Amino acid sequence: MTLGAVHVAGAGMIRFGKHPREVTLETMGANAARDAMNDAGVTSADIEAMYVGHVFGGPVAGQRIGARIGLAGKPVSNHENYCSSGATALREAWIAVGAGLYDLVLVIGVEKMTDRIKGGVQPDPGDLDAASGFIFAAGHALSARRYMSDYGATREQIAMVAVKNHAHSVMNPYAHYQKPVALEEVLTARPIAEPLGLLDCSPISDGAAAVIVASPAGLRKLGIATAPRIAGCALVSGTVQSGLGDVNEEDVSRRAGEEIYRLSALGAEDIDFVEMHDCFTIAEIVRLEGLGLLPRGEGARLTEAGHTSLGGSMPVNPSGGLLSRGHPVGATGVAQICELFWQLTGRAGGRQVENASTGLAYCKGGSVSGTDGASVTTVVMTR
Amino acid sequence: MTLGAVHVAGAGMIRFGKHPREVTLETMGANAARDAMNDAGVTSADIEAMYVGHVFGGPVAGQRIGARIGLAGKPVSNHENYCSSGATALREAWIAVGAGLYDLVLVIGVEKMTDRIKGGVQPDPGDLDAASGFIFAAGHALSARRYMSDYGATREQIAMVAVKNHAHSVMNPYAHYQKPVALEEVLTARPIAEPLGLLDCSPISDGAAAVIVASPAGLRKLGIATAPRIAGCALVSGTVQSGLGDVNEEDVSRRAGEEIYRLSALGAEDIDFVEMHDCFTIAEIVRLEGLGLLPRGEGARLTEAGHTSLGGSMPVNPSGGLLSRGHPVGATGVAQICELFWQLTGRAGGRQVENASTGLAYCKGGSVSGTDGASVTTVVMTR
């Protein structure tokens, strides 16, 4: 590993949610990008390349966005890794800037979903499990049942993930949902795959998020003295489990943790706060445990005890997470980086994590069991 | 620019053409990848990451291929840049290996088209020109008319590009078409957009191509003493033209040339042979001129004179190019790299370019006018 230092110099987002049909993918991406560029004080002339993540945007979506913000002609890479598409774009930007190829690049995650997706996201064509009915919600319901059985966790403890994340995003002006949800509402919501109900599932959202990734020379060019550093950005793929066994011992999360701690030269004990891919309530708990951030089997109890709430010892999803900030799939990985950036620069307003100095983001794409295609990206950023 | 040396250690392809429905994208990609891995003598355990280019393969296509060749769990990036998707995947691999992040990676370009595309490829949704009827064939017909008018070139000279490329691919066992085509056949083929007929247009093909990209340490690990080097890999986007003007003075090709000569520290005069994105006959001529490889307005005449034929002073498309090797869009950019590799290692059989020591590949994706999204990748490889 010979990558140089890589920083985030600015961030921008549009509010996630259901946007009208006339608010196009190009408009959303351009608006988030402009905000990030203004935030960093960088002009389009100084942006050297674009890295764009999306799933459903169609061919050369990044170029279509670039043409709207004065970046026509710049190199554009479009990245697809399902729900971790935006995080994968960030990773390739981190490599290119760390390699010295560029000093200032723009990373965009974007997705227009509400126009095209009714009900849940369709599984990918090669996903034989999903074709047999083992869709995302079913997989996570199985995980919840097993977790409750193995560790004596309660339905209420799992539901508290949704209560916590909705409470956080009341203070996030970019969140899809910005009002508190009571435990009773989560427990009595329409069943989706028991024990999980509607509020245990992340919503279908439209959205866009963008960051400016910079080398030390790029920061100097912008007159920025210090900026949060990307200490590492890991990508692993493959199966959730390594063979038959406990669905809650996620092999892919364990490996994502090992890889990010190796790349960043930091350990689980160094992480102050987390942006976690809580596509379902139970997933937040299982993945925190998989990364070694919470002891195995303790996550549900610790959630109920407030350990992962704002004000707790390791806040998780101060932004509201996928459950409440929303989940425009290609945008999610970049939105997590925006949140890390705002937290590490003390600009997160009412949802600020006190003394935030090291944050971790985890983003997962692909099929339920991951037999064919799970893709997990982990990022650690320091102040 | 601080990238270390990057080499190609092996190549593999399946024959391009119309494959039966049951030959899936995953099967095609896996077969090409296995051939490349065998060619380099690398095991799946030693491959550290996959870079995959495709347009129509659906979410996490690379992971689905990886799972079939013992690469489940490895990092996978899926890249989309329309017809230059495979070339973009190669470029990100070049950056990652050059940065020292990996020593041995697998690059795959793959596309299954004949199942889903009847007639021509549909333009991208944001392409307003195409929506008004200015589709790919119409744009290149306009280019041909203007070229003939400006430079006194003849219809026959332009048609000779197809005659030449079909003659070359008679000697390419991976080509979609492997029989010669007479000038008269090109001239009398069904009109598509006059003056261009069916044989002036690249076909709809299925196919897959793969290469192993290696650092010097990666080569040592494989016991390979020397291997062709990727001297540079440029990516530019944007409009074909810079404002109103001559459609045949492709701004994007000029910039793609300037950037690759800068990155590779080589000039047009150093190029021995070319793999050119000849999606239409006239495009080969216009792009060679745009790169400064032929004098402006001389390309058609020089084609007729044999300058760009095997045995000529600068052979173009010894593989047969898109016109005759075929054009499975995401696979094309990697197939060009396979051809460069085989030529530079003296393994191109009957289509071998004598004393080939420096080759250039040019791949273009996106809309006709490129108003929104043209994407051009240029690669220079040396022996």
Side-chain angles (χ1 to χ4, degrees), chain A residues 1-3 26 51 54-55 57-61 63-64 67-68 72-82 88 91-92 94-96 99-102 124-126 235-238 255 263 366 371-375, chain B residues 1-3 26 51 54-55 57-61 63-64 67-68 72-82 88 91-92 94-96 99-102 124-126 235-238 255 263 366 371-375:
Chain A
M1 261 282 292
T2 54
L3 296 185
E26 291 84 352
Y51 290 80
H54 68 91
V55 181
V60 291
Q63 283 87 337
R64 281 184 270 132
R68 281 156 179 79
K74 309 281 177 154
V76 183
S77 287
N78 291 285
H79 300 268
E80 188 282 313
N81 252 347
Y82 229 135
T88 301
R91 183 170 192 266
E92 299 294 340
W94 169 67
I95 295 170
L101 197 63
Y102 301 122
D124 70 75
L235 173 63
V236 300
S237 312
R255 288 188 291 112
L263 283 173
T371 312
D372 269 354
S375 170
Chain B
M1 262 281 293
T2 56
L3 295 185
E26 291 84 350
Y51 290 81
H54 68 91
V55 181
V60 291
Q63 282 87 338
R64 283 183 269 131
R68 281 156 178 80
K74 310 282 178 153
V76 183
S77 287
N78 292 286
H79 300 267
E80 187 282 313
N81 253 348
Y82 228 137
T88 301
R91 183 169 191 266
E92 300 293 339
W94 169 67
I95 296 170
L101 197 65
Y102 301 122
D124 70 74
L235 173 63
V236 299
S237 313
R255 290 188 289 113
L263 282 174
T371 312
D372 270 354
S375 171

Side-chain angles (χ1 to χ4, degrees), chain B:
Chain B
M1 262 281 293
T2 56
L3 295 185
V6 180
H7 299 268
V8 175
M13 272 180 72
I14 65 163
R15 182 177 173 180
F16 285 6
K18 181 167 167 50
H19 290 285
R21 186 170 287 271
E22 59 271 25
V23 177
T24 62
L25 177 101
E26 291 84 350
T27 299
M28 295 196 307
N31 286 346
R34 265 190 221 99
D35 283 355
M37 289 165 68
N38 289 337
D39 190 41
V42 64
T43 64
S44 56
D46 284 336
I47 296 287
E48 295 164 271
M50 290 172 67
Y51 290 81
V52 181
H54 68 91
V55 181
F56 304 113
V60 291
Q63 282 87 338
R64 283 183 269 131
I65 294 167
R68 281 156 178 80
I69 49 175
L71 293 175
K74 310 282 178 153
V76 183
S77 287
N78 292 286
H79 300 267
E80 187 282 313
N81 253 348
Y82 228 137
C83 302
S84 65
S85 298
T88 301
L90 178 90
R91 183 169 191 266
E92 300 293 339
W94 169 67
I95 296 170
V97 172
L101 197 65
Y102 301 122
D103 290 317
L104 288 165
V105 306
L106 170 63
V107 178
I108 303 174
V110 60
E111 213 75 65
K112 191 78 200 281
M113 299 185 73
T114 62
D115 290 356
R116 53 184 300 144
I117 295 171
K118 306 300 169 199
V121 174
Q122 291 305 301
D124 70 74
D127 188 341
L128 299 179
D129 290 333
S132 324
F134 192 57
I135 59 168
F136 290 115
H140 291 282
L142 187 75
S143 158
R145 285 271 188 230
R146 174 83 192 240
Y147 192 95
M148 290 161 69
S149 166
D150 280 358
Y151 305 121
T154 65
R155 170 71 184 105
E156 288 73 13
Q157 288 171 339
I158 292 169
M160 279 304 294
V161 173
V163 174
K164 165 180 74 71
N165 291 351
H166 278 279
H168 289 173
S169 71
V170 170
M171 296 164 288
N172 183 355
Y174 297 106
H176 189 155
Y177 300 111
Q178 299 181 23
K179 59 174 190 178
V181 161
L183 177 60
E184 195 58 23
E185 289 177 81
V186 182
L187 297 175
T188 59
R190 177 160 65 87
I192 299 295
E194 288 183 293
L196 305 179
L198 188 65
L199 292 175
D200 290 277
C201 313
S202 55
I204 301 292
S205 315
D206 305 320
V211 294
I212 306 298
V213 173
S215 69
L219 291 182
R220 282 194 297 277
K221 191 167 192 174
L222 301 180
I224 295 174
T226 61
R229 190 171 76 86
I230 300 175
C233 186
L235 173 63
V236 299
S237 313
T239 52
V240 170
Q241 293 168 253
S242 54
L244 296 173
D246 182 355
V247 69
N248 290 325
E249 290 187 8
E250 286 196 345
D251 183 61
V252 78
S253 292
R254 181 186 54 75
R255 290 188 289 113
E258 290 171 359
E259 181 70 2
I260 190 60
Y261 302 139
R262 184 183 72 79
L263 282 174
S264 66
L266 291 166
E269 66 283 4
D270 297 310
I271 307 301
D272 297 323
F273 69 103
V274 177
E275 282 289 304
M276 172 48 72
H277 197 86
D278 57 330
C279 49
F280 294 86
T281 45
I282 184 66
E284 176 174 305
I285 294 168
V286 167
R287 289 165 185 171
L288 289 169
E289 296 180 4
L291 292 173
L293 292 168
L294 295 179
R296 178 80 57 198
E298 296 287 314
R301 190 185 59 78
L302 289 167
T303 300
E304 188 180 41
H307 180 78
T308 57
S309 296
L310 276 169
S313 47
M314 186 189 69
V316 175
N317 284 322
S319 69
L322 282 62
L323 285 167
S324 195
R325 179 184 55 211
H327 185 28
V329 289
T332 286
V334 183
Q336 291 180 332
I337 304 305
C338 289
E339 185 67 15
L340 260 53
F341 175 80
W342 287 321
Q343 292 288 351
L344 293 170
T345 52
R347 291 165 53 193
R351 67 187 190 283
Q352 181 67 47
V353 174
E354 273 184 67
N355 303 316
S357 75
T358 303
L360 181 146
Y362 171 114
C363 204
K364 176 171 183 296
S367 57
V368 184
S369 65
T371 312
D372 270 354
S375 171
V376 172
T377 312
T378 38
V379 181
V380 165
M381 280 175 59
T382 56
R383 189 157 57 186

Side-chain angles (χ1 to χ4, degrees), chain A residues 24-76:
Chain A
T24 62
L25 178 100
E26 291 84 352
T27 299
M28 296 196 306
N31 286 346
R34 266 191 222 101
D35 283 355
M37 289 165 68
N38 289 338
D39 191 40
V42 63
T43 63
S44 56
D46 284 337
I47 296 287
E48 296 165 90
M50 291 173 65
Y51 290 80
V52 181
H54 68 91
V55 181
F56 303 113
V60 291
Q63 283 87 337
R64 281 184 270 132
I65 295 168
R68 281 156 179 79
I69 49 175
L71 294 174
K74 309 281 177 154
V76 183

Side-chain angles (χ1 to χ4, degrees), chain A residues 271-287:
Chain A
I271 306 302
D272 297 323
F273 69 103
V274 177
E275 282 289 303
M276 171 49 72
H277 196 87
D278 57 330
C279 48
F280 294 86
T281 45
I282 183 67
E284 175 174 305
I285 294 167
V286 166
R287 290 166 184 171

Side-chain angles (χ1 to χ4, degrees), chain A residues 112-274:
Chain A
K112 191 77 201 282
M113 299 184 73
T114 61
D115 290 355
R116 52 184 300 143
I117 293 170
K118 308 299 169 198
V121 175
Q122 292 303 303
D124 70 75
D127 187 342
L128 299 179
D129 291 334
S132 323
F134 192 57
I135 59 168
F136 290 115
H140 290 281
L142 188 75
S143 158
R145 287 270 189 231
R146 175 83 192 241
Y147 192 95
M148 290 162 70
S149 166
D150 280 359
Y151 304 121
T154 66
R155 170 69 184 108
E156 287 75 12
Q157 288 171 340
I158 292 170
M160 280 303 293
V161 173
V163 174
K164 165 180 74 72
N165 291 351
H166 278 278
H168 290 173
S169 70
V170 170
M171 296 164 287
N172 185 354
Y174 297 106
H176 189 156
Y177 300 111
Q178 300 181 23
K179 59 176 191 176
V181 160
L183 178 60
E184 193 61 21
E185 289 177 81
V186 182
L187 297 176
T188 58
R190 178 159 65 87
I192 299 295
E194 289 183 296
L196 305 179
L198 188 64
L199 293 175
D200 291 277
C201 312
S202 54
I204 302 293
S205 316
D206 305 320
V211 294
I212 306 298
V213 173
S215 68
L219 292 182
R220 282 193 297 276
K221 192 166 193 174
L222 302 179
I224 296 175
T226 61
R229 191 172 75 87
I230 300 175
C233 187
L235 173 63
V236 300
S237 312
T239 52
V240 171
Q241 293 168 254
S242 54
L244 295 173
D246 181 356
V247 68
N248 290 325
E249 289 187 7
E250 286 196 345
D251 184 59
V252 79
S253 291
R254 180 185 56 74
R255 288 188 291 112
E258 290 171 359
E259 182 69 1
I260 190 59
Y261 302 139
R262 183 183 73 77
L263 283 173
S264 66
L266 291 166
E269 66 283 4
D270 296 310
I271 306 302
D272 297 323
F273 69 103
V274 177

